[in-house]
Amino acid sequence: MATAVEEEAFDYLTDMKLVMDMHQKRSNSFLFKTMLEKSLFSSPAACIKTIDERVKRLAKKDASDQTGDIDGLEGLKAALEKIGPMQFSRYQRLLQLLRSADYGWHNGEDADDRIVIFTERIETKNYLEEHLRQDLKLPKKAIVSMDGGMSDVEQQKIVEDFGTKSSSVRILVASDVASEGLNLHYLSHRLIHFDTPWSLMVFQQRNGRIDRYGQRKQPDIRFMMINSRNAKIQGDAHILEILQQKEDQARKDIGDPSLLMGKFDVDQEENFTREAIESGESAENFAARLCIPDEDIDHSDERSGDVETVADDDVFDPLSFFNLTTPDGSDTTSTEENESAGESTAGSADDGGIVDSSTLMSDYEYVDEGLSCEEFRQSAGLKSKRQLRDAHGFAVEFQGDSPLRAWLRRRVPNTQVLRDNIAEWSDDAKYCEDQANGLLARINDESWSRVQYLWELNPITEWVGLKASSLLYQRDEAPIIGVTNGNLHADETIMLMNGMVANKHASPVIDEWFGVRYLDGECMGILPLEEVWRITGYRGNLIPGTTERRYVNREDSAASSEQIDAAQLLLEDAVSRGKSMLSDCGEQYRAQADEEVTRQMDRIEHWSHARKALLQSQGKNTKENTKQVDRMLEQYADWVQDTLDASGEPVIRIAAAFVGKE
């Protein structure tokens, strides 16, 4: 519950009337009173900063009606200044949480257990960093902070320290600059929203820093909510609680909370919430307006617990879902037939595409099939999809409120590629280059070519992957697929797995795909990925004379309930064997890495000697210049070591289970 001095400030704010807001109402802009409330919901320090900045602006205006507003703001500031750390109820609840035995953080004693605290305002971030260090009695370097005023180099250094086990960092307090694009999950599964975002997209961005692929623990996400006797404040706090509840619901059901508001823009979402608060809308009505389109709801049964294998009939069969079956439903051809068809790991130059021998399908096929799937089309908000006439590629037309177009706008190099609600992709690199040629662009009156090169790093590839994980699976699930080509018996199971180990920069240096084969529950060995594809037939067969593959998945390939139960029992053993296999890979990798480190060090030392000799010949071999060369040598050595070092914990993911079906 809010303290007495907090209630005094809340009452003062809700009773205050500002002349300046009379003009804002007519322009449908944020009322300044609402901005004050938003900053106060972050912290008193943030609200005082907002007041100080506005008073400076008002003092410069020569108008008699500003005097009353300044007096009112100064009165609110005086009330806020009475709220010290002991009277700041949310801060005290944060301290109680961090110290509690139930939370189990143990004051940062475990180097693998770090906390991310998000705030919206820099003043709040600074406040928490200062007072947490004092009240938790932590060393100075145990708490670090990050905000948008820092350079990219400074931010990256903080992220690296936060993800490095040997560093003393235990708590990262960040403004929303860190809410998108940074990986904070390697040593942290705890996230605390000290203030509640007014945008569902910000919720999603913040939570995604720790709740992401590679997270080895169940994410623990907490909220510091407002609890006041003031009816207006409590009503507005309920609006924010609804946002929290709806975000959690949407993330589980559709994986994309931004669909609830339908705005797909942070500022527009905040305006949506602001309008509800300023109009005095009830939390019930606000909740009713945040509805998920039925076509975007995943209606499959919810499951809990560890990774599960899921029957085709219960959830989905990935290849039949994408309609990847032969017209007659025939089985895969034999290895000999593959060879006679001229199977190759590389495509011809005709379509500009390459078929990698370690992938199920090319990047182009992956995206093309995804956007052709009705469930994906509805979620994307597509009007139409057509093939390009002049190249191997396709174009889509977006609906006006397309979630996919809004998502792409934040990620493409220039929004001109999405003009007129149309986007085009091709895997023909020469065609894309020609379309981007200055002369052709001028002829077509285009300042930016619409055609995007489709490869694995194109944002559309990422979107299809995100939707595949949210529309097709529940969290911690993997499909179980029946193999009908006769290469697996009914009592055989192959666990398809991916194992990764990261370096000190949190980038994977070991990334292995493999299968673990079982017969009657007994492990028969580890299979390389190519052997898994050969046995199951699920890499498909090359269509003669082309680089395209035909995938086979019969409708009667669902696993039996007994096979599902048996596969579930094998999970623990499969993960254990996967980690052991990854450990063996690590030893081989480290032997190769040591050779590379030696080679790189010889190279940089040779450069060091040559550089010093050059300085000597130029008469510039001063003590400072020599030190600079030595520092560069040391920095490069550290970078090489950290880049090639496989120091991260193994991460194992079950991708699928294959069982024999007649």
Side-chain angles (χ1 to χ4, degrees), residues 94 103 105 113-119 162 170-175 178 183-185 187-194 206 209-210 220-222:
L94 174 63
Y103 192 56
W105 184 60
D113 193 357
R114 303 182 179 189
I115 298 175
V116 181
I117 302 177
F118 270 115
T119 72
F162 189 72
R170 294 297 180 268
I171 297 176
L172 170 62
V173 187
S175 68
N183 296 323
L184 303 176
H185 64 291
L187 298 176
S188 174
H189 69 286
R190 302 182 193 267
L191 186 149
I192 298 171
H193 296 269
F194 188 75
R206 286 183 177 185
R209 297 315 95 221
I210 66 159
D220 186 317
I221 299 175
R222 306 290 179 106

Side-chain angles (χ1 to χ4, degrees), residues 549-560:
R549 293 181 176 272
R550 177 181 291 118
Y551 305 99
V552 177
N553 192 53
R554 292 183 174 178
E555 293 182 359
D556 59 353
S557 63
S560 67

Side-chain angles (χ1 to χ4, degrees), residues 311-313 480 482 490 557-567 659-661:
D312 299 48
D313 289 343
I480 183 166
S557 63
S560 67
S561 59
E562 291 80 7
Q563 288 176 314
I564 297 169
D565 292 341
V659 295
K661 291 288 292 184

Side-chain angles (χ1 to χ4, degrees), residues 125-396:
K125 180 213 70 158
N126 294 340
Y127 183 97
L128 293 178
E129 182 182 13
E130 175 187 352
H131 290 282
L132 285 176
R133 184 177 289 117
Q134 295 173 2
D135 293 333
L136 293 177
K137 295 181 173 55
L138 292 174
K140 182 178 180 180
K141 294 184 178 180
I143 300 181
V144 295
S145 68
M146 181 188 303
D147 61 65
M150 296 178 174
S151 68
D152 291 343
V153 173
E154 290 173 319
Q155 292 181 31
Q156 190 58 43
K157 177 64 167 63
I158 291 172
V159 171
E160 289 179 4
D161 287 345
F162 189 72
T164 301
K165 193 171 182 179
S166 60
S167 78
S168 57
V169 178
R170 294 297 180 268
I171 297 176
L172 170 62
V173 187
S175 68
D176 285 329
V177 66
S179 67
E180 187 171 6
L182 298 180
N183 296 323
L184 303 176
H185 64 291
Y186 295 104
L187 298 176
S188 174
H189 69 286
R190 302 182 193 267
L191 186 149
I192 298 171
H193 296 269
F194 188 75
D195 47 32
T196 303
W198 289 27
S199 162
L200 291 169
M201 291 175 63
V202 175
F203 265 112
Q204 188 178 25
Q205 292 163 4
R206 286 183 177 185
N207 293 343
R209 297 315 95 221
I210 66 159
D211 190 3
R212 60 194 300 108
Y213 174 66
Q215 176 59 263
R216 292 175 288 122
K217 298 180 181 179
Q218 180 65 34
D220 186 317
I221 299 175
R222 306 290 179 106
F223 297 82
M224 298 286 108
M225 305 304 296
I226 304 289
N227 193 1
S228 170
R229 292 187 295 271
N230 183 295
K232 167 64 175 168
I233 296 295
Q234 193 58 35
D236 295 347
H238 282 160
I239 292 286
L240 302 185
E241 288 181 28
I242 293 298
L243 284 180
Q244 172 202 334
Q245 296 163 8
K246 288 290 187 176
E247 189 278 338
D248 184 62
Q249 174 197 350
R251 183 160 39 86
K252 292 176 180 176
D253 289 343
I254 59 175
D256 191 356
S258 60
L259 289 172
L260 289 169
M261 290 183 178
K263 303 299 180 184
F264 314 108
D265 178 87
V266 171
D267 291 338
Q268 291 184 29
E269 286 193 340
E270 289 189 348
N271 280 335
F272 186 93
T273 304
R274 182 262 302 177
E275 289 167 1
I277 287 176
E278 290 182 351
S279 67
E281 183 176 12
S282 69
E284 293 75 17
N285 288 342
F286 182 70
R289 289 201 293 137
L290 295 176
C291 58
I292 303 171
D294 186 67
E295 65 267 22
D296 287 312
I297 298 178
D298 184 354
H299 293 288
S300 59
D301 293 338
E302 296 219 359
R303 302 173 189 270
S304 59
D306 295 330
V307 176
E308 296 183 87
T309 51
V310 184
D312 299 48
D313 289 343
D314 290 339
V315 179
F316 101 112
D317 183 327
L319 298 184
S320 63
F321 185 89
F322 283 107
N323 204 24
L324 301 177
T325 57
T326 57
D328 59 358
S330 60
D331 203 343
T332 54
T333 57
S334 67
T335 304
E336 289 76 15
E337 289 173 65
N338 261 342
E339 292 170 353
S340 65
E343 178 165 351
S344 170
T345 59
S348 69
D350 294 340
D351 63 3
I354 295 177
V355 179
D356 192 305
S357 63
S358 64
T359 60
L360 183 62
M361 60 180 71
S362 69
D363 298 321
Y364 179 90
E365 291 168 320
Y366 178 66
V367 175
D368 189 31
E369 295 289 354
L371 293 181
S372 299
C373 171
E374 184 58 29
E375 285 81 354
F376 280 42
R377 288 167 63 92
Q378 291 179 6
S379 181
L382 301 185
K383 270 188 180 180
S384 62
K385 177 175 176 288
R386 60 177 173 80
Q387 296 300 307
L388 298 180
R389 287 184 295 180
D390 302 330
H392 187 243
F394 58 85
V396 300

Side-chain angles (χ1 to χ4, degrees), residues 44-114:
C47 193
I48 289 173
K49 177 70 171 178
T50 302
I51 291 171
D52 287 343
E53 291 178 349
R54 181 52 60 98
V55 167
K56 286 180 183 178
R57 291 172 56 187
L58 292 176
K60 293 179 181 179
K61 297 183 178 180
D62 185 17
S64 58
D65 61 358
Q66 308 297 336
T67 304
D69 283 354
I70 292 177
D71 291 343
L73 293 174
E74 293 288 6
L76 177 59
K77 178 179 177 180
L80 294 170
E81 288 174 338
K82 297 177 183 177
I83 306 174
M86 293 300 297
Q87 292 80 36
F88 188 6
S89 57
R90 273 187 299 131
Y91 175 70
Q92 289 302 315
R93 288 203 303 275
L94 174 63
L95 285 178
Q96 291 171 11
L97 174 67
L98 298 180
R99 292 166 172 166
S100 69
D102 290 340
Y103 192 56
W105 184 60
H106 307 302
N107 213 40
E109 294 175 2
D110 186 353
D112 288 341
D113 193 357
R114 303 182 179 189

